Amino acid sequence: MMGVMAQPHKGPREQIKTRVHAEVYADLRQLAAERGSSVSQVAADLIAAAVGRTDLVRDIPEELPLAM
């Protein structure tokens, strides 16, 4: 494909697959769109924050509260 730039390397990663409620997915899409990011990156950021690894968060603000 012409004009497609390679994505920057994001470090060692593992793939997980999960199904979320359609309304949750809509919220993730909204968060991603607001940040110019992907749903996958926003989900990865939220998971990293949930386990206390805010150093690995890329596209969501630190002040975003997690509802636990």
Side-chain angles (χ1 to χ4, degrees):
M1 286 184 166
M2 291 185 59
V4 175
M5 300 208 32
Q7 294 292 318
H9 181 63
K10 295 180 180 179
R13 293 185 160 221
E14 297 291 332
Q15 183 178 29
I16 62 171
K17 296 179 183 181
T18 187
R19 295 185 184 276
V20 297
H21 193 281
E23 293 176 14
V24 172
Y25 186 73
D27 291 341
L28 283 173
R29 278 196 338 245
Q30 181 66 36
L31 281 172
E34 289 170 359
R35 288 157 181 75
S37 186
S38 67
V39 171
S40 293
Q41 184 59 56
V42 170
D45 286 350
L46 291 170
I47 292 168
V51 299
R53 291 301 309 265
T54 56
D55 58 309
L56 298 175
V57 173
R58 297 173 55 97
D59 292 340
I60 61 171
E62 275 188 48
E63 68 273 4
L64 185 67
L66 292 177
M68 298 292 244

